[in-house]
Amino acid sequence: MAPQRFREQFDQIQRSMPDVPLVMGPDDSAEFFYEKGVVLARDGDEARLVEDTVRDHFTTMAGLTPDHVRRASPETNRTGITRIQVGDPGEGDGGGDPNVAHALRSLRTMEGRAGRRLISRNHVVSIAVNACPGDEPVPVPLSEPPNPAAADTSYDEGTAVGVLVIDTGLMHDYRSCPLLAHTDGDAQLRECDEDGILQQYVGHGTFIAGLVAAVAPNTHVTVRNTLNDAGAILESELGEKLFEAVDRDGWPEILSLSAGTSNGRTDGLLGVHAFMEELRDQRTLLVAAAGNNGSATPFWPAAYAELPGWETSVLSVGALRADGEFGACFSNHGGWVKAYAPGERLTSALTGFGTPVPYVYQHSTYDTCRYGFGYACTCQYPRHSGVLSEPGEVPAKPDQVMFEGHAQWSGTSFATPVVAGLVASHMTETKEPDPRAARKQLLAANTEYAEVHGAHVPALLPPTWRPVTVEVPAGEA
């Protein structure tokens, strides 16, 4: 992700989490966000070992005392994770946290002996940064059908496949969209600001629910607003929220998650690992977004699909561009991404059914693709000026549009529910009750492929999806 967009997203998320000081990481670059002054460890003996080791290490560091190291949360959560404070969160700026870096280094030798990770940053897991969306939504007239369009399958309550979407909540008028007749769940807590302007990222969960329902009408979709605050949540909280969701709704056939983070490692996220271990022993298939870094760096939890033990329980999804023949410029890629689906310029439900709702763009489009691609990607088109920009480049008047129901949006966030819908549709068509078996059958039967960074990868294309041709303004081609 381009540094400019990363900084813009950082500021947006920090505003949504004012009580949690955040920094960019790892230490001197912009790859992910994490909580300042805090590390994670497993409860019990490991937490005590981490605490004691870090405290001893800090006695040799100027400006720090053993008193800086203390428990920041009790050992009562189901994820089995303890937050340990290792410095003053009020010190420094957002450019990295040397206290956390020193704490990680102090356990490096012990981790090698133990053969597993003992300590971790507390990363921000988000739809807004590195995961999705890849751009901001564009209004589409209600006269234009969704893309993918609704499949010709009827809904049957007795055989409907259960799909749980962990995302932002549902917009207040979502029932006005016929596709969402069999969708329920949590409401989006705050849709508009004081001026009645649609806030950034709201409607993300509604858009995703519409894609699942279009590809697989015989589904009952439940949307939980776990990621309501600008689509962001701390790693230490996400694991607990995932447990709460499945405790409330039961383990679904399919869990669709369009959020995640990189962490500079290849062994997953400590804060969600307990959930992932329990997932492995269930029937549920987790379909997870590969992220929008334009990178081969593993993105979690999608990259669990590459780890031994999760090969059948996790399906990681990258995004194809609007023609379906190549990878989208923003999509993450690599051997850990197991399938690709259309994820650029999809059309689904957003908000404004009956009453148009204004939206002011936050990001400005680029003159060229920020990932270096040469096609007419969403980095460039359609062009708009946004509120957030580099110093000295803020437009006098950012562009405003009106949403009247449908939107066009891009990101691996949206390729993910397309694949979740295809698995659900396969279950209905073949009467296959096991979603993990359906995943295997769907990939085995697939005959479509696309090119992503020189590799030929499985391309899962819904029958009702249609390629989109981008009209570049005259003089810009």
Side-chain angles (χ1 to χ4, degrees):
M1 178 172 285
Q4 173 187 338
R5 185 63 55 87
F6 195 87
R7 286 194 295 270
E8 293 170 1
Q9 299 284 25
F10 176 83
D11 292 342
Q12 177 79 359
I13 288 181
Q14 183 63 88
R15 285 192 293 271
S16 75
M17 306 171 70
D19 298 327
V20 182
L22 301 177
V23 287
M24 303 180 197
D27 298 314
D28 56 359
S29 63
E31 182 183 342
F32 49 72
F33 304 155
Y34 62 98
E35 184 180 11
K36 184 188 292 187
V38 168
V39 295
L40 303 181
R42 294 180 180 87
D43 292 344
D45 291 342
E46 288 193 13
R48 285 186 284 276
L49 172 64
V50 168
E51 199 172 359
D52 292 343
T53 303
V54 174
R55 183 179 290 113
D56 291 343
H57 182 75
F58 275 3
T59 60
T60 65
M61 295 170 53
L64 288 174
T65 71
D67 291 338
H68 282 95
V69 184
R70 60 185 182 275
R71 301 295 169 94
S73 65
E75 301 178 35
T76 57
N77 64 77
R78 187 171 169 186
T79 61
I81 294 297
T82 294
R83 292 170 62 249
I84 300 174
Q85 186 170 326
V86 295
D88 182 357
E91 293 180 351
D93 56 22
D97 189 335
N99 291 336
V100 169
H102 287 311
L104 296 175
R105 284 195 290 270
S106 72
L107 269 295
R108 190 168 295 164
T109 300
M110 288 187 180
E111 286 187 325
R113 294 171 184 165
R116 70 172 185 171
R117 180 167 30 164
L118 301 173
I119 187 172
S120 169
R121 295 178 179 88
N122 193 13
H123 302 87
V124 174
V125 178
S126 176
I127 66 171
V129 180
N130 299 347
C132 275
D135 64 353
E136 292 177 87
V138 177
V140 172
L142 275 173
S143 58
E144 183 175 323
N147 185 24
D152 186 18
T153 304
S154 59
Y155 177 80
D156 174 64
E157 184 176 358
T159 62
V161 177
V163 179
L164 176 60
V165 174
I166 301 296
D167 210 88
T168 63
L170 292 162
M171 303 300 280
H172 74 280
D173 56 355
Y174 80 96
R175 288 286 187 191
S176 298
C177 176
L179 278 175
L180 300 178
H182 306 292
T183 296
D184 59 26
D186 301 330
Q188 174 76 43
L189 296 185
R190 188 169 181 239
E191 298 181 6
C192 298
D193 63 16
E194 296 80 3
D195 298 319
I197 305 296
L198 198 67
Q199 296 194 110
Q200 195 173 16
Y201 311 122
V202 302
H204 194 266
T206 303
F207 194 93
I208 285 173
L211 290 171
V212 174
V215 176
N218 191 35
T219 50
H220 182 84
V221 182
T222 303
V223 180
R224 294 295 170 213
N225 63 2
T226 305
L227 305 173
N228 194 72
D229 292 333
I233 189 171
L234 289 172
E235 174 185 339
S236 59
E237 297 175 1
L238 178 60
E240 191 71 16
K241 292 293 186 182
L242 290 170
F243 275 126
E244 289 178 6
V246 297
D247 287 346
R248 177 178 178 179
D249 302 303
W251 286 89
E253 280 97 341
I254 299 171
L255 174 57
S256 180
L257 179 64
S258 293
T261 183
S262 58
N263 65 352
R265 297 183 62 105
T266 59
D267 54 359
L269 294 176
L270 196 60
V272 301
H273 200 72
F275 177 83
M276 296 302 298
E277 288 185 327
E278 189 160 330
L279 167 76
R280 186 172 50 191
D281 297 330
Q282 302 291 331
R283 292 179 59 252
T284 298
L285 173 67
L286 171 61
V287 184
N292 295 347
N293 285 354
S295 167
T297 299
F299 187 81
W300 308 98
Y304 273 90
E306 183 76 353
L307 296 186
W310 281 277
E311 302 95 331
T312 61
S313 57
V314 180
L315 179 54
S316 48
V317 182
L320 300 176
R321 72 188 198 186
D323 61 10
E325 296 181 7
F326 299 91
C329 69
F330 51 78
S331 182
N332 283 348
H333 53 90
W336 56 273
V337 184
K338 301 305 179 181
Y340 291 77
E344 190 175 61
R345 296 190 170 93
L346 301 183
T347 299
S348 185
L350 191 73
T351 192
F353 294 94
T355 305
V357 182
Y359 178 75
V360 176
Y361 282 104
Q362 300 297 299
H363 305 291
S364 299
T365 46
Y366 294 77
D367 293 331
T368 58
C369 175
R370 63 186 186 270
Y371 300 101
F373 281 62
Y375 75 102
C377 63
T378 58
C379 297
Q380 309 164 75
Y381 306 106
R383 302 199 65 79
H384 48 253
S385 297
V387 174
L388 306 173
S389 191
E390 289 285 85
E393 297 181 1
V394 179
K397 186 177 181 181
D399 293 333
Q400 178 175 308
V401 292
M402 301 295 290
F403 284 100
E404 301 182 81
H406 288 169
Q408 192 178 81
W409 216 343
S410 304
T412 57
S413 266
F414 311 125
T416 298
V418 168
V419 171
L422 285 170
V423 174
S425 179
H426 182 85
M427 293 173 68
T428 295
E429 292 173 3
T430 63
K431 296 182 173 55
E432 172 57 67
D434 185 346
R436 298 182 184 183
R439 166 204 182 277
K440 181 178 180 180
Q441 294 163 12
L442 181 67
L443 290 174
N446 178 66
T447 59
E448 298 288 343
Y449 289 85
E451 183 177 328
V452 178
H453 290 269
H456 291 279
V457 300
L460 301 178
L461 308 178
T464 60
W465 171 78
R466 57 193 185 281
V468 176
T469 301
V470 181
E471 295 184 6
V472 178
E476 295 187 19

